[in-house]
Amino acid sequence: MSIVVPEWRRAYDEVRRYSMALAEPLSAEDQGVQSMPDASPTKWHLAHTTWFFETIVLKPYLPGYRPFDERYAYLFNSYYEALGPRHARPQRGLLTRPSLEEVHAYRRHVDESMSTLMTRADPATRDAIEPLITLGLHHEQQHQELIVTDIVHALSCNPLMPAYRPEPSDGEAAPRLRSTRPGPIEWLDRAGGVVGIGHDGRGFAFDNEGPRHDYLLRPYSIAHRLVTCGDYAAFIADGGYARPELWLSDGWAAVQREGWTAPIYWVPGGEKSDQKSGGCGNWRVFGLSGLKMLDPDAPVSNLSFYEAAAYAEWTGARLPTEFEWEAAFDTPGIEQMTGHVWQWTRSAYEPYPGFRPLAGVAAEYNGKFMVGQQVLRGGSIATPPGHTRPTYRNFFPPAARWQFTGVRLVRDN
């Protein structure tokens, strides 16, 4: 009998516990709601990430494994066509059964079976399952972020506008939301030239982060900080949402069709206080801690790509390509590259030269989504600690607004 590597088992336990910790502030009613087709209930996220380990690891590799409930293969498959039919995504909020308690029992059943497998696996089996388990843990971390962003959207639809969690203390999350050098943007010069792009193969990466390849960049300058709420409020005050010349055609159509006049979670009204709002009027912003007065120095968040591009056009700058962003990651003086908001880039989500998807069922993980989406870089306040890398390629459709997404500017030299 082989002995499980302690670090491997510890990583599994930590990730699985963190998902439950994220759900802990939520009631059973909170965890069953689906506020739009692009979001999913918390309960579904907890079950789907469990389904992943059951389907991809336990069924093929643990002899005699008995599924918790055979029907869950249909309920909690997300988009894996090779694994059969599935419940329609827009209808996940209709799954009042199984109950939250049954989903918790499902997680315990799979966790116990995973413990058995990791403890008893012979060397050949361990070699086969280790990359699948690692992928499953990073997959669950992606869903941990979705648990947060999806429930914030759901709570924003409630007239009570309840908070997901209390306001953090001064020593917790608040400091990393601000630039250490608020004020005018400082432009950091980049010489351009041939740069290496993509993951170098050391440690884990998703398949879409490689192969590493050379890319030619022209000289450019990148902003030392993210665009702030105060910056964006000036764009709104200047009629940014009423000026079609600033918008991409599809973006302007979205503004007209959806009636956009501000970021999705900005709420007008309330007591006006120049001292609290930094002269940004009386906007309030809904977030993890409920509805708060706009902080002018906080990074603007929950923008679509269209809004990000329009703002960049208004400033006379532009959005970076994903290659410019990655090459600038370690630039001296640059701030807020990760842990604040995902940063829209001007790059379409396409395969790198020589890209090949993972083998087997995991082939459906990334490659089939490489059309009609924009790349984002960085990581947000909802991204689990340690989950991102400079080469990490997030992607969403250009109209998406419910993620913690923001703006960094570049300009040509």
Side-chain angles (χ1 to χ4, degrees), residues 31-32 41-48 95-100 103:
Q31 295 189 51
T42 301
K43 182 175 74 172
W44 187 91
H45 288 300
L46 295 176
H48 166 70
L95 296 176
T96 58
R97 310 287 178 88
S99 68
L100 182 60
V103 168

Side-chain angles (χ1 to χ4, degrees), residues 29 70 94 319 336:
E29 291 83 1
E70 293 283 3
L94 299 179
L319 300 180
Q336 303 174 309

Side-chain angles (χ1 to χ4, degrees), residues 3-332:
I3 303 299
V4 66
V5 178
E7 291 77 10
W8 193 22
R9 174 61 188 273
R10 183 162 50 247
Y12 180 88
D13 291 344
E14 287 177 354
V15 169
R16 298 287 284 171
R17 281 197 299 265
Y18 189 60
S19 296
M20 296 297 289
L22 289 174
E24 196 276 333
L26 304 173
S27 68
E29 291 83 1
D30 290 332
Q31 295 189 51
V33 70
Q34 181 178 22
S35 53
M36 63 172 175
D38 286 340
S40 297
T42 301
K43 182 175 74 172
W44 187 91
H45 288 300
L46 295 176
H48 166 70
T49 51
T50 304
W51 166 92
F52 188 96
F53 287 109
E54 180 176 68
T55 304
I56 307 299
V57 182
L58 291 174
K59 286 182 178 179
Y61 291 103
L62 182 59
Y65 175 74
R66 298 183 64 179
F68 182 81
D69 189 321
E70 293 283 3
R71 298 171 297 176
Y72 288 8
Y74 176 83
L75 289 183
F76 300 123
N77 182 0
S78 55
Y79 52 73
Y80 294 87
E81 301 285 352
L83 295 176
R86 60 204 180 279
H87 186 69
R89 179 175 181 173
Q91 298 175 9
R92 290 170 183 170
L94 299 179
L95 296 176
T96 58
R97 310 287 178 88
S99 68
L100 182 60
E101 290 77 12
E102 289 171 310
V103 168
H104 289 175
Y106 180 35
R107 288 180 68 88
R108 289 192 297 270
H109 173 85
V110 166
D111 288 345
E112 291 167 2
S113 298
M114 287 293 296
S115 177
T116 298
L117 175 61
M118 289 187 285
T119 302
R120 296 179 180 177
D122 58 39
T125 301
R126 286 188 53 193
D127 287 345
I129 65 174
E130 186 165 6
L132 297 176
I133 294 175
T134 300
L135 177 63
L137 295 179
H138 285 268
H139 166 260
E140 182 146 351
Q141 287 180 308
Q142 291 179 311
H143 281 270
Q144 288 168 353
E145 181 160 359
L146 291 172
I147 286 173
V148 175
T149 57
D150 290 1
I151 196 61
V152 168
H153 185 271
L155 295 176
S156 77
C157 298
N158 186 325
L160 300 178
M161 290 198 163
Y164 164 68
R165 67 184 185 197
E167 183 74 31
S169 66
D170 290 341
E172 294 179 340
R176 69 178 184 155
L177 298 181
R178 291 174 172 266
S179 168
T180 58
R181 289 177 288 160
I185 284 176
E186 300 170 22
W187 295 97
L188 308 176
D189 292 336
R190 298 288 305 180
V194 177
V195 297
I197 295 295
H199 195 262
D200 62 9
R202 292 177 293 182
F204 175 82
F206 290 112
D207 57 2
N208 65 359
E209 297 177 53
R212 189 166 176 84
H213 60 287
D214 290 337
Y215 195 90
L216 176 63
L217 295 178
R218 294 185 179 277
Y220 65 102
S221 296
I222 189 165
H224 85 283
R225 63 163 173 81
L226 296 167
V227 171
T228 66
C229 290
D231 296 331
Y232 201 81
F235 167 72
I236 297 174
D238 194 45
Y241 281 85
R243 296 173 57 181
E245 72 273 15
L246 300 175
W247 294 79
L248 296 168
S249 178
D250 285 351
W252 183 246
V255 169
Q256 301 301 296
R257 181 177 64 252
E258 305 296 334
W260 293 350
T261 58
I264 185 174
Y265 295 142
W266 285 32
V267 180
E271 293 185 7
K272 183 173 181 178
S273 171
D274 288 340
Q275 182 179 2
K276 289 184 178 181
S277 65
C280 294
N282 59 346
W283 288 108
R284 295 174 294 167
V285 180
F286 184 80
L288 295 170
S289 301
L291 193 63
K292 304 294 181 182
M293 289 299 297
L294 177 145
D295 179 352
D297 292 330
V300 65
S301 186
N302 301 102
L303 298 182
S304 67
F305 168 77
Y306 297 136
E307 291 164 296
Y311 176 84
E313 181 71 18
W314 179 73
T315 67
R318 60 178 175 83
L319 300 180
T321 66
E322 64 169 316
F323 314 111
E324 290 170 330
W325 190 97
E326 185 175 326
F329 185 84
D330 292 322
T331 300

